[in-house]
Amino acid sequence: MPTPTHCPYCALQCGMTVKPGPAVVPRDFPVNRGGLCQKGWTSAALLNTPGRLTTPLVQGRPASWDEALDHVAQRLLELRAAHGPDSVAVFGGGGLTNEKSYLLGKFARVALGTSQIDYNGRFCMSSAAAAGIRAFGVDRGLPFPVTDLSNADAVLLVGANVAETMPPFVQHLRRAIDSGGLVVVDPRRTATAEQAAVHLAPTPGTDLALALGLLHVAVAERYVDKDYLSERAIGFEETWEVAARWWPEQVERVTGVSAADQRRAVAVLSRATNAYVLTARGTEQHASGSDMVSAWINLALALGLPGRPGSGFGCLTGQGNGQGGREHGQKADQLPGYRKIDDPAAREHVAEVWGVAPESLPGPGKSAYELLDSLGVGPRALMVFGSNIAVSAPRSAHVTERLAALDFLVVADFVLSETAVLADVVLPVTQWAEEGGTMTNLEGRVLLRSRAVTPPPGVRTDLEVLHELAVRLGQPAERFPVNEESVFAELRRASAGGVADYAGISYERLRAGEALHWPCPDERHPGTPRLFLDRFAHADGKARMVPVDHRGPAELPDDDYPLSATTGRVLQHYQSGAQTRRVPELNAAVPEAFVEVHPDTADRAGLAEGDVARICSRRGEVLAKVRCVQGMRIDTVFLPFHFPGEQRANLITNPALDPISGMPEFKVCAVRLEAVT
């Protein structure tokens, strides 16, 4: 029987129907309006992928579930007894359902008693989240429905290549594109930038200087909405003190973006009736990413956009449950409902729902890269759910060494990923269409992902795995439900009264087709598709403009490493490629890593189209085939990060961290090109 559900990939969560076969077809759903990208169209191939895991592996040999789970529990108990509860760490993922994210955080803090839990979403949305909380008092990627963008006359898109990463999204930009209102900030001439009326291509790592320059233009050209600032924001004068030093010609010297183009971009935004500023990973994955996003928020506030019907500011969440995954407790510093783990009232509320004493809950743990960097020195064991960190983590050769230094590694996955290959125990679990649960898409809308096919014999859900391990670790069986609807009912109680309040969202309402965006505090509440229309989430109802200044990338080019490298996604692949590289059609289209280089840059390195290049940084080197692209900056190269082994882009990326968000600097590092002889 056909089953309506949602795509297993990005945070658009496009509506689709799974039919017998299995096969997928798009369905009419607001974010995709009957469209799918190539990844979505081919997603059914994952359900019958060769190499599917159906039997637990212990030290590489097949084992029964009881043997595997008994072994895991015994080793965890031994390590905790010898080294304390923080000797065991947990690493989750932004693709896990809300139910899994919630139960994983509970499992870590209650069954294991560890503070050492974080997730790969730290590498995705953490800078945007930090900036959003500072400015607005709450973090929701898009505080308005995606469909609102369809009426935009102008959109400033910063660090996003949506034409490749989420193609159905582009239809919502059509009015802005057709009216000459799309402005794209990206060092590359991407498929998205090709559709822009204004393309600003800054030197990688200089986005903050560019944002300050655009704010300077807005003030100098009298585009600032003074009435809006007076009524709805504070901090303009302090913010202007910084931006006043960044006149357009100064910004041009730092960023390479002409003063004329800066003025054109601001004019496009300012003259529009409905305008939006949207940011994504390109401007967020920096050691100053939180400040970069704050600078773009400052520009949006100066123009009077956030919280105004038909206009606004938002961040484009990347992973499928990147929004919900950061709300319910798998982040190192959070409890369900987007509560802070060091808040006594939050601890008391959640502990009561969990039936434990508040003082038994651990405090904040390390952020993702700091956690991975400490493996084998602090944590002696790691449990991984929904992440392929051997490919996706920055400085990945070092992280792989840290994984090898562990006494015990457990990975739950449906295929033998590059991380699972390293594990002492691998637990085969269900994938997207084989299980039910909820996801929260980039606009804060909670979606029901229904089970559409029967999983292979021998496979269990993550909820079942957590339940079985918790019982073996001495927890009451009823404390860790295995039914997703039961887990969600508990999540609702735990989130009640929090920033991300799901109390009024039920499976019954979702099955009935209600469009429910959090916060939704009770079952009579219609949900909140548009935040901030009346007030922002600070006590006084006003947004904060945060004074920030440009400080540049953590690592600058020099004589030994004269180029800047940046990384990103391509149309056919997703994240570490653990899923998409197993889909024949997608892998045939892009089977290996490549490096985009300006032809003149390639020529100076003795390289030509199709040659294999060695891209070297201070941390390692990557091998990739050269693609000569006329539109590339001559000082910049680009690598996709989907490939394993010696093609891992993250062998060279810089783990320098944003001091606020813990975000590594994925988007810029100093490199050189060499010909492979």
Side-chain angles (χ1 to χ4, degrees), residues 592-606:
E592 59 188 348
F594 59 86
V595 56
E596 288 186 357
V597 187
H598 189 280
D600 292 348
T601 306
D603 185 62
R604 283 199 296 272

Side-chain angles (χ1 to χ4, degrees), residues 98-99 102-103 106 327-328 335-339 345-356 478-481 483-507 520-523:
N98 289 318
E99 293 79 2
Y102 169 80
L103 208 66
K106 181 181 178 181
E327 296 169 356
H328 298 301
L335 290 171
Y338 225 133
R339 289 180 162 90
R347 294 169 66 85
E348 184 174 353
H349 173 85
V350 173
E352 183 177 0
V353 174
W354 288 352
V356 300
E478 64 274 10
R479 185 169 283 165
F480 289 86
N483 174 269
E484 60 267 12
E485 191 164 356
S486 299
V487 176
F488 190 77
E490 185 180 306
L491 179 158
R492 293 170 60 194
R493 298 196 303 275
S495 74
V499 173
D501 191 336
Y502 282 43
I505 302 173
S506 66
Y507 271 45
C520 183
D522 62 67
E523 293 196 10

Side-chain angles (χ1 to χ4, degrees), residues 269-452:
L269 279 179
S270 303
R271 294 168 185 170
T273 302
N274 297 317
Y276 291 85
V277 175
L278 305 176
T279 67
R281 303 305 79 72
T283 201
E284 297 161 12
Q285 289 180 323
H286 294 270
S288 56
S290 297
D291 285 353
M292 284 188 180
V293 179
S294 288
W296 296 113
I297 291 174
N298 289 341
L299 175 64
L301 287 168
L303 299 176
L305 305 182
R308 181 158 64 83
S311 295
F313 173 87
C315 300
L316 301 180
T317 306
Q319 294 190 78
N321 201 32
Q323 182 68 58
R326 65 184 186 268
E327 296 169 356
H328 298 301
Q330 63 172 334
K331 280 184 74 174
D333 56 352
Q334 285 183 358
L335 290 171
Y338 225 133
R339 289 180 162 90
K340 298 296 289 183
I341 198 168
D342 54 3
D343 176 4
R347 294 169 66 85
E348 184 174 353
H349 173 85
V350 173
E352 183 177 0
V353 174
W354 288 352
V356 300
E359 58 271 19
S360 72
L361 298 178
K366 296 182 179 72
S367 67
Y369 180 76
E370 294 170 308
L371 173 59
L372 298 176
D373 186 45
S374 71
L375 296 178
V377 179
R380 307 297 185 93
L382 178 68
M383 303 182 69
V384 180
F385 291 79
S387 186
N388 187 17
I389 50 183
V391 175
S392 63
R395 200 184 172 197
S396 57
H398 172 71
V399 169
T400 301
E401 291 174 359
R402 300 323 310 152
L403 291 171
L406 288 165
D407 293 339
F408 194 53
L409 174 62
V410 181
V411 174
D413 210 329
F414 71 93
V415 291
L416 204 61
S417 70
E418 286 75 19
T419 306
V421 167
L422 306 174
D424 298 284
V425 176
V426 182
L427 303 174
V429 292
T430 50
Q431 57 169 312
W432 67 285
E434 300 166 353
E435 59 188 8
T438 59
M439 308 284 279
T440 305
N441 76 348
L442 77 172
E443 56 188 2
R445 176 170 172 167
V446 182
L447 310 168
L448 190 62
R449 185 187 277 180
S450 301
R451 173 172 160 167

Side-chain angles (χ1 to χ4, degrees), residues 391-397 567 622 641 647-653 666:
V391 175
S392 63
R395 200 184 172 197
S396 57
T567 65
V622 181
F641 54 69
Q647 299 184 356
R648 282 177 289 172
N650 284 318
L651 289 167
I652 63 171
T653 49
F666 286 105

